[in-house]
Amino acid sequence: MASTKASKEQKYDRQLRLWGDHGQETLENAHVCLINATATGTEILKNLVLPGIGAFTIVDGHTVTGEDAGNNFFLSKDSIGKNRAQAATEHLQELNSDVSGNFVEEGPDKLLDNDSEFFHRFTIVIGVQLPESTCLRLGSVLWSASVPFLVCKTYGLIGYMRLVVQEHTVIESHPDNALEDLRLDQPYAEFQNHIKSYDLDSMEKKDHSHTPWIIIVAKYLEKWLSEHNGQPPKNYKEKEAFRQLIREGIRKNENGVPEDEENFEEAIKNVNTALNPTKIPSAVEDLFNSEQCKNITAQSPCFWVMLRAVKEFVHNEGNGSLPVRGTIPDMIADSQKFINLQNVYREKAMQDAAAVSKHVESLLQSVGKPAESIPEKDIKLFCKNASFLRVVRCRSLAEEYSVDTVNKDEITSCMDSPDSEMVFYLMLRAVDRFYQQHSRYPGVYNYQVEEDISKLKACVNSLLQEYSLNVNIKDDYIHEFCRYGAAEPHTVSAFLGGSAAQEAIKIISHQFVPFNNTFIYNAMSQTSATLRLLELNGNLPFADLFSSPNLPM
Amino acid sequence: VLFFSSREKKRRRIEDLTEKMAVDSGHRDGGCDWDGRWNHVKKFLERPGPFTHPDFEPSTESLQFLLETCKILVIGAGGLGCELLKNLALSGFRLIHVVDMDTIDPSNLNRQFLFRPNDVGRPKADVAADFINSRVPGCKVVPYPFIEFHIIVCGLDSIIARRWMNGMLISLLSYEDGVLDPSSIIPLIDGGTEGFKGNARVILPGMTACIDCTLELYPPQINFPMCTIASMPRLPEHCIEYARILQWPKEKPFGGTLDGDNPEHIQWVFERSKERAAEFNITGVTYRLTQGVVKRIIPAVASTNAVIAAACATEVFKIATSAYIPLNNYMVFNDVDGLYTYTFEAERKENCSACSQVPQDLQFPPSAKLQEVLEYLTENASLQMKSPAITTTLEGKNKTLYLQSVKSIEERTRPNLCKTLKELGLSDGQELAVADITTPQTVLFKLNFTA
């Protein structure tokens, strides 16, 4: 029995405050595929079902063993002997009646043999505890179909995640400490007029103490500029002098003692950030210069059309700057002064967004698409977030694994610290290699632990040799990975479960920035690292990607 | 420190119980285990390894200890608590007690997955215990009574509650000739989350940094200034606070106090807020914002709780079994942009008001009014007391200088607030005993007169 709209609002209230109704809508339209309902898999899915994704499908050909039921909250003793996909689906479905749960009682390899397009229908595919060969095969299929692929693995006390997505755009990245967009260094006409409407010297005391600090800084900046050849305060000394100038503006009582004017104190405190020059962030400049922005076609995603429109705006109406964001922080002021000032910014933002809209229209027209294909509200949202746009691009798995394109430098430099999380990446590759050779993981049974150490060491060495990696892996790690015996302890699975689910939500909602592209969690030390393994020369590989968009897999 | 050797598992007392509580002596429910059930766990308890705790000895006894003897207290059965119960149960712990005084609300259902729509209104501890016991055969989660605990794990939503727990464990420490007796230490694992941020920490009371040592990490909640709310609103939040703080008490629309969980109350505040906002041309008042402000709602999702509870449970496992060296001692997590963790050793504060055993210094001139002392106790970042009660000994007799929580005493002692310390008869070096909800034991302060 599905929930009513009101009961959903209630249930999802706490998360709606993070990603909004529009974010929730993307979740409810999503269909997630999980391959392998191990503890890690079901923990990930739990954190997607609870917030209300539209549907999930579990693909798993395995039968539930006693071991499976021992570490998996979504399998019970009765599940033993049943197909794992089916058993897990029952328990997961039960978490949230709004979600539609499905299962396929077959492994991914078999599925692909029979239907190469099976996975095309999913919003994202999450593959858990996959052997290397299956991973690479799936990676190739999903890459060609542009379906995001999240690879996860729990191995002993190590958690591993790899995001594989060609291009993921983020409009709402929700940065933690964003700089304000105040334009004090280049006040637009309406702002200038508004500043002019204030005469600090002739104001009544009450008005003087409740004038927004933005106006105060603007006024004193005008004064400074006129006295310094149009040059704003640049170094610490000058900024100090500027602060002092403002301080002298504080009204004094009949005894010459400065009054308590908190708004002036706010102005002084904000001088540093207020004087930041208005600049287009380099990340956004890079986006302007990318091929996707330069070549707008009928197939271009909305993101690029809007970005190109903003670029046009910057070169025309914007006079080199992005559209005004339109928000100001709260500050000491009386209601009217604050609201009036806020409206000056809001109206300018609306104007700029309208100008961007016109560019969007003509771009759409030029590729034969209707103007309505990009709604007004999307353009407004885009403009508001223009400084925070992000694009995440991950290299394919094939490139990661290829001897020709592996990133040796990154690996080698990380391994300068022999206990860096990179060692776990290499060990995971080594145990995969062991699996390929021996059709099992090392140390699963007690009697195997000792004898497998030398076998695993051989795998480590052959791996390092094949990729010409001149690094040393301590014997302790090889011993430890044999000891793990491919165990999947619940708490490590749960940690990955939360981490991976949130990354999947980011991919689905296009809000917040996903990791790029390898995440390692070490439960022994409670530390983690994000490794970016695939840049050939340490720079963002935009040019690289676009010169060869269809790399042979 | 090796906490629980297989030979001696000392029992730790939280309270002296006047009546013996019948404790299920943990008989082996041999019938409920199945083949391979604990394989994932056994690898870490029965095999030696290069990274284990120096005192670790692989054996089958560790698992038995977890299954039959080790008692865990989980405080809170909400977002973190549900996750913790699941994590502990699937890691081999069976004797788990869970405390929670709350009942289930619909807005819990997006992450507190042991609860279903049918459970709304029922006590969280009861429902959580039932679910786990049924899903994980052999697990015996017991809702709330205090008995004896080896380790305490907290998933609380209030700093005050944490400080209380922290203070209680510190009060149980025993010192012989100034040296701490390690067997009196009860490890406290504490987790906290807020939106996409969280932290997990290991506290060994008396040995490592405690909650109060790092109180500055939890800055006090900032409320809007009264004059802004009363006469100079600028944001929709100001309008909502106006309706909540000024209009409600005046108009008492439904009699009694404002109940944030009552939709009718929120609707009333919402409508008044909109009117106020319209007066000042302020936009942005919504029902959701109103509820958020009135209830001081903190956004929450399943994923962050999953991560933090997992880290906490891993630490419980490490400490109980010595399988690995525990986290030393604080991990911070944030997945707004990628995934970020930062692990560090929070340091003990030399003069921590909770765990340092050093009497706290109060520096004031004799002409200072008692009111100033009261403000210091509440506003100082390292103390952050809520409504401290101050007593002292004058002429051999115990005297209450000020106490807020009992109306008659508050009225009687209120005039003292305007008196100076000298007028109250206090002298340099005088000891003041301060009681407060943030600490189960009175904190001793020493008055240090300045010029």
Side-chain angles (χ1 to χ4, degrees):
Chain A
M1 179 189 68
S3 317
T4 60
K5 189 162 194 298
S7 70
K8 281 212 288 198
E9 280 250 3
Q10 247 189 341
K11 178 162 70 173
Y12 299 137
D13 178 83
R14 299 298 185 270
Q15 69 203 37
L16 292 175
R17 291 165 191 278
L18 289 167
W19 52 67
D21 297 309
H22 60 297
Q24 186 65 26
E25 206 184 312
T26 64
L27 288 187
E28 292 179 16
N29 289 332
H31 190 168
V32 175
C33 177
L34 168 71
I35 305 177
N36 284 334
T38 67
T40 305
T42 55
E43 287 299 303
I44 296 172
L45 212 41
K46 150 182 157 289
N47 297 320
L48 291 170
V49 168
L50 285 171
I53 52 170
F56 67 84
T57 296
I58 302 183
V59 168
D60 195 343
H62 295 92
T63 306
V64 179
T65 62
E67 201 173 86
D68 286 336
N71 75 345
N72 193 324
F73 195 74
F74 298 95
L75 297 174
S76 57
K77 189 178 172 190
D78 301 329
S79 309
I80 298 174
K82 292 190 183 156
N83 168 266
R84 203 163 60 179
Q86 181 192 15
T89 298
E90 274 169 36
H91 289 299
L92 281 163
Q93 169 72 82
E94 200 260 320
L95 283 173
N96 189 347
S97 55
D98 295 337
V99 178
S100 155
N102 312 281
F103 60 91
V104 174
E105 297 184 32
E106 237 177 55
D109 281 303
K110 256 220 159 148
L111 262 180
L112 284 174
D113 290 340
N114 294 333
D115 177 6
S116 58
E117 304 207 337
F118 175 80
F119 292 98
H120 287 29
R121 77 198 68 183
F122 299 112
T123 317
I124 180 172
V125 173
I126 302 173
V128 159
Q129 314 294 80
L130 292 172
E132 189 174 301
S133 56
T134 311
C135 223
L136 287 170
R137 186 181 177 191
L138 265 170
S140 159
V141 166
L142 297 173
W143 183 267
S144 308
S146 293
V147 175
F149 184 28
L150 184 59
V151 180
C152 302
K153 184 176 285 202
T154 296
Y155 201 95
L157 290 190
I158 304 300
Y160 162 88
M161 284 202 295
R162 165 67 152 103
L163 178 65
V164 192
V165 64
Q166 275 193 48
E167 176 182 284
H168 177 79
T169 58
V170 184
I171 297 173
E172 290 181 274
S173 57
H174 301 285
D176 253 337
N177 291 312
L179 290 172
E180 303 282 350
D181 183 21
L182 302 177
R183 305 293 166 115
L184 280 163
D185 60 331
Q186 39 172 83
Y188 44 94
E190 296 85 344
F191 186 22
Q192 282 183 29
N193 288 340
H194 189 72
I195 297 167
K196 275 200 190 73
S197 72
Y198 280 84
D199 181 356
L200 287 177
D201 296 328
S202 70
M203 284 174 137
E204 294 285 319
K205 179 170 182 311
K206 193 145 189 254
D207 284 322
H208 195 261
S209 314
H210 291 95
T211 295
W213 72 254
I214 291 179
I215 301 290
I216 296 172
V217 171
K219 282 290 192 192
Y220 283 93
L221 189 57
E222 271 177 15
K223 188 159 191 258
W224 177 281
L225 290 173
S226 69
E227 292 168 5
H228 289 82
N229 235 333
Q231 292 302 310
K234 292 215 174 62
N235 52 41
Y236 177 77
K237 196 158 163 222
E238 290 178 356
K239 287 181 185 174
E240 260 307 293
F242 184 61
R243 278 188 275 266
Q244 188 52 32
L245 186 66
I246 297 176
R247 184 167 291 289
E248 276 152 26
I250 297 178
R251 290 266 171 93
K252 299 187 173 57
N253 65 16
E254 25 339 313
N255 300 325
V257 176
E259 302 271 24
D260 194 11
E261 296 203 287
E262 277 184 74
N263 58 334
F264 272 76
E265 297 297 341
E266 268 190 339
I268 291 163
K269 214 165 54 147
N270 280 290
V271 157
N272 254 342
T273 47
L275 293 179
N276 273 340
T278 303
K279 209 164 79 85
I280 300 180
S282 58
V284 180
E285 286 282 13
D286 286 341
L287 292 180
F288 283 160
N289 293 330
S290 63
E291 284 305 309
Q292 294 275 56
C293 181
K294 289 185 184 157
N295 302 327
I296 299 296
T297 70
Q299 281 75 45
S300 294
C302 301
F303 179 91
W304 295 107
V305 177
M306 289 192 282
L307 184 76
R308 175 62 176 273
V310 169
K311 184 178 177 182
E312 299 298 327
F313 169 88
V314 168
H315 292 148
N316 292 292
E317 302 91 339
N319 292 318
S321 295
L322 294 170
V324 165
R325 195 177 311 156
T327 58
I328 57 173
D330 190 25
M331 60 193 74
I332 305 232
D334 64 55
S335 311
Q336 200 171 50
K337 293 191 182 62
F338 180 83
I339 299 295
N340 289 344
L341 179 61
Q342 192 179 56
N343 285 337
V344 168
Y345 282 88
R346 279 186 180 171
E347 277 154 24
K348 179 64 174 165
M350 282 201 301
Q351 237 183 63
D352 286 357
V356 170
S357 262
K358 289 242 151 38
H359 288 291
V360 169
E361 250 183 67
S362 59
L363 280 167
L364 288 172
Q365 251 172 33
S366 73
V367 295
K369 292 183 83 171
E372 302 77 55
S373 41
I374 300 184
E376 200 67 37
K377 68 171 170 60
D378 289 359
I379 300 173
K380 283 202 171 114
L381 187 66
F382 195 88
C383 289
K384 191 160 181 223
N385 285 281
S387 303
F388 314 127
L389 304 169
R390 297 277 294 272
V391 175
V392 171
R393 294 190 176 97
C394 312
R395 284 281 192 104
S396 70
L397 283 177
E399 284 165 304
E400 177 180 339
Y401 282 68
S402 153
V403 174
D404 302 320
T405 47
V406 68
N407 189 334
K408 291 168 47 172
D409 291 340
E410 171 91 359
I411 296 176
T412 319
S413 72
C414 280
M415 288 303 290
D416 277 342
S417 326
D419 301 307
S420 110
E421 276 77 12
M422 179 62 81
V423 74
F424 300 115
Y425 170 77
L426 294 170
M427 285 312 304
L428 288 172
R429 293 287 301 267
V431 296
D432 268 342
R433 197 160 271 241
F434 188 105
Y435 186 84
Q436 266 169 12
Q437 282 173 24
H438 305 276
S439 298
R440 63 176 180 83
Y441 285 106
V444 174
Y445 295 100
N446 282 348
Y447 75 84
Q448 292 171 330
V449 181
E450 272 306 310
E451 57 185 58
D452 280 350
I453 291 177
S454 51
K455 293 197 183 98
L456 181 57
K457 188 158 189 182
C459 292
V460 169
N461 289 335
S462 83
L463 174 79
L464 297 179
Q465 215 174 45
E466 185 179 322
Y467 289 94
S468 314
L469 291 167
N470 190 6
V471 301
N472 182 43
I473 294 184
K474 290 189 200 165
D475 280 346
D476 279 348
Y477 289 109
I478 300 175
H479 182 176
E480 182 74 353
F481 267 68
C482 279
R483 180 184 187 238
Y484 286 162
E488 197 182 357
H490 184 83
T491 58
V492 185
S493 308
F495 190 101
L496 256 200
S499 305
Q502 190 50 35
E503 295 311 300
I505 289 174
K506 290 177 187 176
I507 297 289
I508 295 169
S509 66
H510 287 267
Q511 292 190 38
F512 305 95
V513 182
F515 74 109
N516 187 1
N517 54 43
T518 299
F519 175 78
I520 306 256
Y521 166 64
N522 178 356
M524 293 189 285
S525 57
Q526 299 284 20
T527 55
S528 73
T530 299
L531 310 170
R532 200 162 171 179
L533 290 171
L534 305 174
E535 289 145 52
L536 285 183
N537 43 16
N539 297 322
L540 293 171
F542 294 114
D544 222 333
L545 255 183
F546 290 106
S547 61
S548 46
N550 295 304
L551 289 165
M553 298 302 154
Chain B
V1 176
L2 179 67
F3 282 97
F4 313 112
S5 73
S6 52
R7 275 183 225 109
E8 42 165 23
K9 307 280 191 225
K10 287 203 179 142
R11 310 205 133 206
R12 329 227 175 281
R13 297 207 157 271
I14 292 278
E15 299 173 340
D16 265 304
L17 300 169
T18 47
E19 54 175 277
K20 278 280 180 189
M21 303 198 76
V23 178
D24 188 1
S25 63
H27 65 276
R28 261 288 286 289
D29 187 355
C32 75
D33 268 350
W34 55 84
D35 227 13
R37 182 178 189 184
W38 300 112
N39 281 1
H40 293 283
V41 174
K42 278 179 176 177
K43 283 171 178 138
F44 300 97
L45 299 179
E46 295 174 8
R47 298 178 172 190
F51 296 104
T52 60
H53 194 288
D55 298 328
F56 174 70
E57 283 168 25
S59 83
T60 53
E61 285 174 24
S62 280
L63 181 61
Q64 292 320 308
F65 174 64
L66 297 186
L67 293 172
E68 293 170 20
T69 312
C70 187
K71 292 185 191 62
I72 307 289
L73 171 63
V74 175
I75 304 198
L80 284 170
C82 288
E83 300 277 350
L84 283 167
L85 291 171
K86 160 183 75 70
N87 294 345
L88 294 170
L90 288 180
S91 299
F93 296 92
R94 282 188 163 156
L95 306 171
I96 305 171
H97 292 251
V98 62
V99 182
D100 196 316
M101 314 228 269
D102 224 354
T103 54
I104 298 163
D105 181 85
S107 70
N108 300 148
L109 300 177
N110 78 329
R111 63 202 182 285
Q112 298 173 28
F113 57 91
L114 301 177
F115 312 142
R116 297 289 172 271
N118 278 344
D119 297 320
V120 169
R122 290 181 61 200
K124 288 189 181 183
D126 286 344
V127 180
D130 283 345
F131 197 118
I132 295 281
N133 291 340
S134 124
R135 181 60 66 83
V136 185
C139 194
K140 292 179 263 292
V141 180
V142 178
Y144 74 80
F146 274 79
I147 49 170
E148 305 136 355
F149 302 104
H150 293 88
I151 300 173
I152 297 183
V153 199
C154 282
L156 296 165
D157 65 352
S158 119
I159 296 171
I160 294 178
R162 280 183 174 85
R163 291 177 72 183
W164 182 270
M165 196 72 238
N166 182 66
M168 187 145 71
L169 295 181
I170 290 168
S171 71
L172 293 174
L173 296 172
S174 64
Y175 291 82
E176 279 164 36
D177 300 321
V179 177
L180 176 59
D181 171 15
S183 69
S184 66
I185 300 175
I186 302 179
L188 169 63
I189 320 279
D190 180 66
T193 64
E194 223 181 82
F196 295 122
K197 301 181 187 172
N199 60 70
R201 62 192 298 186
V202 172
I203 296 173
L204 306 175
M207 275 180 67
T208 64
C210 78
I211 302 276
D212 283 50
C213 289
T214 57
L215 207 49
E216 289 94 6
L217 289 178
Y218 309 107
Q221 200 174 53
I222 309 227
N223 294 314
F224 301 117
M226 233 9 222
C227 60
T228 302
I229 297 175
S231 50
M232 252 178 253
R234 296 176 297 268
L235 304 178
E237 288 87 342
H238 299 157
C239 304
I240 296 166
E241 289 288 74
Y242 179 81
R244 178 182 79 89
I245 298 173
L246 295 172
Q247 283 181 299
W248 180 284
K250 207 161 113 192
E251 296 178 42
K252 287 204 187 298
F254 299 92
T257 44
L258 170 53
D259 176 10
D261 292 320
N262 186 328
E264 281 189 323
H265 291 199
I266 300 289
Q267 184 65 27
W268 187 92
V269 174
F270 174 46
E271 272 155 27
R272 294 285 130 357
S273 308
K274 273 198 293 191
E275 283 164 21
R276 174 104 172 138
E279 254 183 76
F280 291 87
N281 292 315
I282 296 172
T283 58
V285 174
T286 60
Y287 185 90
R288 189 177 290 164
L289 185 66
T290 305
Q291 207 184 25
V293 170
V294 170
K295 293 177 70 169
R296 297 284 193 263
I297 289 179
I298 297 176
V301 287
S303 55
T304 321
N305 284 318
V307 166
I308 295 300
C312 287
T314 296
E315 293 309 309
V316 175
F317 184 82
K318 286 180 193 170
I319 292 176
T321 62
S322 288
Y324 290 88
I325 298 174
L327 167 66
N328 183 20
N329 53 42
Y330 203 117
M331 181 189 83
V332 160
F333 172 84
N334 183 340
D335 65 354
V336 168
D337 185 340
L339 302 110
Y340 169 80
T341 65
Y342 176 60
T343 309
F344 66 101
E345 184 179 344
E347 287 180 355
R348 282 189 82 180
K349 197 135 150 255
E350 264 177 32
N351 60 342
C352 175
S353 57
C355 76
S356 73
Q357 297 195 297
V358 167
Q360 300 296 293
D361 205 32
L362 269 182
Q363 300 215 351
F364 284 95
S367 57
K369 303 214 171 71
L370 187 63
Q371 175 74 40
E372 291 171 52
V373 176
L374 193 73
E375 279 167 10
Y376 173 77
L377 294 173
T378 52
E379 285 163 23
N380 178 272
S382 318
L383 295 173
Q384 291 188 48
M385 294 192 166
K386 295 299 160 196
S387 60
I390 312 172
T391 61
T392 191
T393 307
L394 280 174
E395 290 155 14
K397 288 202 281 208
N398 198 319
K399 182 173 175 183
T400 304
L401 294 174
Y402 183 68
L403 187 147
Q404 204 171 337
S405 46
V406 178
K407 190 154 175 243
S408 55
I409 304 181
E410 199 280 326
E411 283 168 4
R412 177 170 63 78
T413 55
R414 200 186 310 155
N416 287 343
L417 292 176
C418 305
K419 296 198 180 136
T420 67
L421 302 180
K422 186 156 179 231
E423 282 169 352
L424 289 166
L426 303 174
S427 47
D428 190 31
Q430 179 117 19
E431 258 185 16
L432 301 179
V434 180
D436 186 58
I437 194 184
T438 52
T439 156
Q441 279 192 306
T442 0
V443 183
L444 281 177
F445 287 85
K446 206 156 181 178
L447 251 191
N448 202 328
F449 278 161
T450 58

